[in-house]
Amino acid sequence: MDILKTWIVKMAMVTGLIPILRTAVEATTDYAGRTMWFGFAVVRLLALYVSEQPWSKLDLDFDCRGNGTSEFCRKSCFSNHFNVPIVSLWNSAYVFFVVSVLIMELFTSQLRHNLTKAAVKKKADHPDGPLIGTWASDLAHKDLVMDFHHQRTLLVLYLFCVLMRLLGELMFLYILMWWHLPLVSRDSYDCSTEVCPGPFTCLVRFPAEKRMSLYLLGSLSIILSLVCVVFGLYSICHYLAACRTRHDECV
């Protein structure tokens, strides 16, 4: 039964990856770093699946011993010890990352629509001509590639999305290392609650696996934070600063 359940979960995860990969490949509009961010979304989803496995039976992995130990007191100690959300918070962080990517996709799509309408009105005889602020790319198999040198509004929005991801990753890293890691950092824990004074000695089984999952998510979060910093600085220097230096016409 457990094998069948695991197989179903794997198939559901693979099925969920297909729309993400298709969106990254088949979109008609591209911009700098687009494929990279969608790639990180896929890697993040895989890392979540691997990291959640040691935490899937957390209630069964928690045990307590002491005078007058009962299932009620064990659950009371469990609720007292794991008093912060874990897996649900990981998934919420992933949703936040995907939303920051989709915001950029939404505004890029809207900008493409506006540029197309403007080109049709300006050149009724050549509605398929090149649009200002874009360039055609047969090599990339895209209809349009947004040029940040000319699209300053889009560049500012892009930097805002990158800043959102950076702040989200730093907050997520803080939660992993200062909220979740202390929950499994010791071999045993002393427990005493209002309904069960105890004292009880409690432990969490397989702490090494649980810590490893936290290190995996934390490492990926550090990598994403560094990429956000490097890519943000590169975009500012290469597009925004260069645009001001050359006095290009930016919209």
Side-chain angles (χ1 to χ4, degrees), residues 229-240:
V229 172
V230 172
F231 214 82
L233 292 177
Y234 169 79
S235 299
I236 292 174
C237 297
H238 183 70
Y239 296 111
L240 192 58

Side-chain angles (χ1 to χ4, degrees), residues 8 12 21 23 41 43 46 55 62 75 89 139 142 144 165-166 177 199 204 207 209 216 238 243 251:
I8 294 175
L21 295 173
T23 301
V43 173
L46 292 173
W55 299 80
F62 188 83
K75 290 184 178 180
L89 200 149
L139 296 177
K142 306 289 183 181
L144 295 173
R165 291 166 204 161
L166 176 60
M177 297 296 106
V204 181
E209 287 79 359
L216 173 61
H238 183 70
C243 178
V251 295

Side-chain angles (χ1 to χ4, degrees), residues 147 149-150 152 239 242-251:
D147 187 1
H149 285 107
H150 296 277
R152 176 174 290 183
Y239 296 111
C243 178
R244 291 177 178 177
T245 301
R246 296 195 308 268
H247 300 284
D248 290 337
E249 182 182 357
C250 302
V251 295

Side-chain angles (χ1 to χ4, degrees), residues 17-145:
L17 291 177
I18 293 176
I20 299 177
L21 295 173
R22 182 177 297 175
T23 301
V25 174
E26 295 183 356
T28 57
T29 305
D30 199 6
Y31 52 85
R34 181 178 184 275
T35 303
M36 178 187 66
W37 296 121
F38 274 95
F40 275 124
V42 173
V43 173
R44 187 67 167 273
L45 186 59
L46 292 173
L48 279 175
Y49 171 74
V50 173
S51 300
E52 288 177 6
Q53 299 307 306
W55 299 80
S56 60
K57 299 180 180 179
L58 185 59
D59 181 63
L60 298 178
D61 291 339
F62 188 83
D63 195 13
C64 296
R65 290 291 184 268
N67 295 329
T69 304
S70 64
E71 181 65 13
F72 177 80
C73 289
R74 186 192 71 83
K75 290 184 178 180
S76 177
C77 288
F78 177 84
S79 300
N80 183 68
H81 185 68
F82 293 100
N83 56 355
V84 294
I86 299 178
V87 175
S88 60
L89 200 149
W90 299 353
N91 294 328
S92 299
Y94 177 74
V95 171
F96 181 82
F97 178 83
V98 172
V99 166
S100 70
V101 176
L102 294 182
I103 288 176
M104 189 65 186
E105 290 293 307
L106 176 64
F107 280 90
T108 301
S109 176
Q110 184 62 39
L111 180 60
R112 183 184 190 278
H113 176 71
N114 294 338
L115 290 173
T116 302
K117 288 179 61 177
V120 170
K121 291 181 180 179
K122 187 175 181 179
K123 297 182 179 180
D125 296 335
H126 303 283
D128 297 328
L131 305 182
I132 298 175
T134 66
W135 54 278
S137 177
D138 295 333
L139 296 177
H141 304 288
K142 306 289 183 181
D143 292 345
L144 295 173
V145 177

